[in-house]
Amino acid sequence: MSGLSSTKVIRAFDVGEVGVRFLGEGEPLLFLHGGEGPAPDEFLAALAPGLVIAPDLPGFGGTPLPGQWNEMADLADFAADVLDGFGLDRAHVVGHSFGGYVAATLATRAPSRVDRLVLSAPIGIQVPAIVLPNVFALGPDRTAALLGYPAPEGSVPLRLVEREALARFLFARPFDRRLLGRLPRVERPSLVLRGSDDRYLPAAYVRAFADALGAPYRELADLPHAMPALAPAELAKAIRTFLDEEQS
Amino acid sequence: MNEVLFLHWMSWPGMTRESLAANDDWAFLTYPNAEYDPVEGSAVLHRWIDEMVYAEELGFDGLVYNEHHQMPHAHLPSANVMSATLAARTSRIKLVPLGHVVPVHHPVQLAEEIALVDLISGGRVVAGLSKGIGHEFFARSIDPGEARGRFDEAVDIMVRAWSEPGPFAYSGQYWHLPFVNIWPRPLQQPHPPIWITGTGSPNTPAWAARRGYPYVKGLDKEDAVLRMFDIYRAAAEEAGREPDPNNLVFSKHVYMAENEEEAWRRGKEHYEYVLRDLFEIPDHIFFPPGSVPPENYERAAGGYRHYRDTSIEQLVEEGVVLIGTPDQVIESLLRAEEHLGFGKAVITLAFGKMGETETREHMALFAERVLPHIRDTVPSAAPSA
């Protein structure tokens, strides 16, 4: 395979027609990106073999954000519409960070759409005594450092519209109070990952996802928060290993 | 101009450059409140209140105070508490908070409290309403993108709560209120005058004009104020209203002394404190995502940076703030009135690190030397209680 993605136009509720990035063919995997934006093709290619579908979430990249949308359920429904657009009843669902929040919401609202669930450094739950840093208050340089970019110049600068999209879902409350309690609804094999050098999410926070899912929790040595952009090969390998293990 | 109102900026005088630097140059939101000395704070508050009472004696038409949250600058977190205090200490003067930070309050509670202070003051209260500034959305975890919608909806609820016989039911995007029926109702009928403060969005004067609410604009270059006032006048005409100069409220910081050199020496120091130290905050806090449409962001943030990064001499040159002798101040304010066409002026005379003596002398100098030359009418007589 070439490793370069193609685009398929699908229809999503409220959003309308939108191009969705994909590559490969075979066993389908839906990747939901984090707040720093769509992942590089290199990461998607490393998730192969299989059909890797990687939409730009509404408000990011080429996908507009409908004015009334402000709940995670809106984004989870969008993810389901993407599966419909590819004619899929279910797929492996992999979500990173903010995309992990979307993936966990999709998996708890519509468990039948999920074959296997992988949450990479996910956010979206409320864990007693853990208050995550407010990324909107940090400013671009410190956010970049928190996510693990070596220098601000190396970071993916969020456009203002993307910051606005992220704020719509996270500013007032960066979690869904009921999400943790609903995670046991997901009965499919699941995996929760965290980079051991993640400065944004404490281990106890990410581990709470795994405990609620009854899923293994794995730390990837020396990796920061922004794994899809900064450690695409290592993250993809950990995901691939899990999916291949579960297959056998 | 028909009315000249006195604004007390209520700047906490104790902020230091060292503490500011230790707090990453953030003067809002996180500037540590351990720096606040409550004993000293109590004395300072009493002094400020006394100074506002003095402004009534000096013949100003109104007392103006800000409401803001989690900042040493203008640290008055409840305008209604101050309105009630001043209502009890004064007898004639209009009480004008500019303004209640509407999105951080429950609209029915706010309507109730404003009605209460209206009754206590004998109908002297103006309901100054503002959308709030960026750091306040962090301070209350309010999505900045919702602030405008929350503001609009809250104003509708408040106006109805004051003026419509209760109980009535309200159901909107942010509030669902099956029983709105405030006790007590305001003395002024149908409700206390509403004034709208603007920080620079062109939507605000247009919205205020359509509703016939006075619009207040300050701390900006005169051309920028003119642009907002022109938007107001055009929107008023479009809505079939005669544009009334009394609905345009000009606002200006003034520092003056008999001697120009002294005015500059002291005024510059106060402006440096109030526009530099007390206003120090990064763009992403002042303009969090959603608070300003992306296409307006650079203009808004650039305008704000301008006050911080431009010399005081340049800001005076541009007419953002004034420094001068009484004659120079008269000339400047009359020229602004001619240029901008406003009917009311809010003059900030107490700000920066001004102490008690300096503040009172400054207020008295303005009242004696400037006020009689810029105001068209004499203050109205005290209402019979």
Side-chain angles (χ1 to χ4, degrees):
Chain A
M1 69 183 292
S2 70
L4 284 178
S5 60
S6 317
T7 298
K8 179 179 167 71
V9 175
I10 64 135
R11 279 197 74 78
F13 177 70
D14 266 357
V15 175
E17 288 198 344
V18 61
V20 174
R21 204 154 54 115
F22 73 97
L23 52 72
E25 55 187 38
E27 197 176 59
L29 183 157
L30 176 67
F31 175 71
L32 302 169
H33 65 77
E36 68 268 36
D41 271 6
E42 182 192 355
F43 172 68
L44 305 183
L47 286 171
L51 168 64
V52 178
I53 304 165
D56 295 350
L57 289 170
F60 293 85
T63 309
L65 175 61
Q68 295 303 307
W69 285 25
N70 61 0
E71 289 177 24
M72 267 298 137
D74 294 318
L75 297 185
D77 290 350
F78 171 80
D81 286 352
V82 171
L83 292 180
D84 289 343
F86 279 79
L88 299 168
D89 287 335
R90 59 158 64 175
H92 301 317
V93 176
V94 179
H96 173 72
S97 192
F98 177 67
Y101 190 178
V102 182
T105 305
L106 173 66
T108 53
R109 284 169 59 87
S112 66
R113 305 306 299 268
V114 178
D115 191 345
R116 270 158 262 162
L117 176 68
V118 179
L119 301 179
S120 161
I123 64 164
I125 58 172
Q126 187 182 28
V127 177
I130 297 180
V131 177
L132 299 179
N134 182 317
V135 289
F136 303 104
L138 286 174
D141 292 359
R142 288 195 177 171
T143 303
L146 188 79
L147 302 184
Y149 291 93
E153 309 86 70
S155 70
V156 184
L158 269 188
R159 296 181 304 146
L160 288 165
V161 282
E162 294 176 340
R163 281 176 51 204
E164 197 170 331
L166 205 57
R168 190 92 68 83
F169 297 98
L170 300 180
F171 194 100
R173 200 177 58 209
F175 50 76
D176 171 354
R177 285 203 174 86
R178 290 283 298 122
L179 182 58
L180 189 62
R182 285 196 189 111
L183 285 175
R185 255 197 120 191
V186 182
E187 291 178 342
R188 299 294 304 160
S190 302
L191 171 70
V192 179
L193 297 170
R194 174 183 176 270
S196 69
D197 282 355
D198 191 325
R199 273 173 273 173
Y200 177 36
L201 305 181
Y205 181 86
V206 181
R207 200 182 280 275
F209 275 96
D211 292 346
L213 285 165
Y217 167 81
R218 279 189 205 142
E219 291 212 343
L220 303 184
D222 306 324
L223 295 190
H225 182 76
M227 293 186 285
L230 297 176
E234 293 96 320
L235 178 61
K237 186 172 171 227
I239 294 166
R240 209 52 262 172
T241 303
F242 166 72
L243 295 177
D244 294 341
E245 273 170 10
E246 285 295 327
Q247 210 161 26
S248 55
Chain B
M1 52 206 88
N2 293 317
E3 288 183 25
V4 179
L5 302 91
F6 167 77
L7 191 154
H8 203 308
W9 200 257
M10 298 191 192
S11 330
W12 172 248
M15 181 181 268
T16 63
R17 278 256 127 220
E18 294 69 37
S19 298
L20 195 54
N23 197 47
D24 282 335
D25 285 334
W26 286 27
F28 306 175
L29 190 65
T30 58
Y31 187 83
N33 64 5
E35 300 262 315
Y36 185 78
D37 176 343
V39 174
E40 187 192 347
S42 174
V44 167
L45 266 170
H46 277 102
R47 170 163 79 74
W48 291 342
I49 292 163
D50 290 345
E51 286 160 2
M52 284 192 276
V53 172
Y54 182 50
E56 181 180 56
E57 291 168 30
L58 290 172
F60 286 92
D61 299 293
L63 298 177
V64 182
Y65 31 98
N66 294 290
E67 175 178 301
H68 280 302
H69 300 269
Q70 297 190 190
M71 67 199 292
H73 151 74
H75 71 274
L76 182 66
S78 167
N80 277 324
V81 169
M82 186 54 73
S83 295
T85 305
L86 294 170
R89 293 279 310 272
T90 57
S91 59
R92 165 192 66 82
I93 202 162
K94 201 181 274 185
L95 305 172
V96 189
L98 293 178
H100 301 279
V101 182
V102 172
V104 312
H105 296 287
H106 192 289
V108 177
Q109 180 74 22
L110 192 53
E112 287 171 337
E113 289 180 4
I114 292 171
L116 191 60
V117 290
D118 193 44
L119 291 155
I120 294 170
S121 67
R124 291 186 283 134
V125 156
V126 167
L129 304 179
S130 76
K131 198 185 80 170
I133 54 178
H135 80 282
E136 285 161 335
F137 309 135
F138 284 99
R140 292 293 193 279
S141 286
I142 292 169
D143 177 359
E146 289 186 351
R148 177 89 242 174
R150 285 179 176 275
F151 177 86
D152 291 356
E153 195 168 311
V155 175
D156 285 343
I157 294 168
M158 290 166 65
V159 168
R160 289 187 59 187
W162 285 325
S163 55
E164 194 173 303
F168 64 84
Y170 183 94
S171 195
Q173 195 176 344
Y174 304 103
W175 285 281
H176 175 70
L177 305 162
F179 308 102
V180 181
N181 186 33
I182 65 165
W183 283 77
R185 294 194 297 121
L187 182 60
Q188 297 180 84
Q189 290 294 319
H191 58 78
I194 291 171
W195 293 12
I196 302 296
T197 64
T199 49
S201 161
N203 298 329
T204 306
W207 182 88
R210 283 195 292 273
R211 298 195 165 216
Y213 301 149
Y215 167 77
V216 190
K217 180 75 187 93
L219 203 67
D220 215 332
K221 295 181 202 175
E222 262 177 41
D223 284 349
V225 177
L226 180 64
R227 185 169 159 257
M228 294 296 146
F229 284 1
D230 283 344
I231 290 170
Y232 186 100
R233 281 185 279 254
E237 274 182 28
E238 212 168 285
R241 292 174 196 276
E242 184 76 17
D244 179 355
N246 281 311
N247 279 353
L248 294 172
V249 186
F250 179 67
S251 172
K252 190 64 70 188
H253 280 62
V254 170
Y255 193 87
M256 49 178 230
E258 291 284 8
N259 172 306
E260 189 177 353
E261 202 176 303
E262 191 192 339
W264 271 94
R265 183 174 55 76
R266 291 158 72 164
K268 201 178 154 182
E269 185 190 331
H270 295 308
Y271 283 129
E272 294 276 3
Y273 182 62
V274 83
L275 295 178
R276 301 281 182 274
D277 302 4
L278 286 177
F279 249 52
E280 194 74 66
I281 199 79
D283 289 351
H284 65 271
I285 300 296
F286 209 69
F287 300 100
S291 62
V292 179
E295 62 273 19
N296 292 347
Y297 184 88
E298 206 30 60
R299 198 186 63 200
Y304 177 70
R305 282 194 293 264
H306 181 74
Y307 307 133
R308 267 184 336 202
D309 303 340
T310 306
S311 70
I312 301 301
E313 286 81 357
Q314 180 68 23
L315 292 177
V316 170
E317 175 74 27
E318 292 171 353
V320 176
V321 295
L322 294 186
I323 294 182
T325 63
D327 287 343
Q328 288 171 326
V329 168
I330 292 167
E331 193 206 328
S332 174
L333 292 175
L334 290 178
R335 202 179 50 227
E337 182 187 12
E338 172 85 27
H339 181 208
L340 302 171
F342 53 84
K344 295 185 171 83
V346 169
I347 308 295
T348 305
L349 293 166
F351 59 91
K353 292 190 177 185
M354 293 167 69
E356 184 173 4
T357 307
E358 185 180 0
T359 302
R360 282 179 174 257
E361 285 176 4
H362 193 230
M363 292 168 68
L365 185 64
F366 187 92
E368 281 164 28
R369 299 285 311 279
V370 178
L371 196 51
H373 301 283
I374 62 169
R375 187 168 54 193
D376 301 332
T377 53
V378 291
S380 57
S384 47

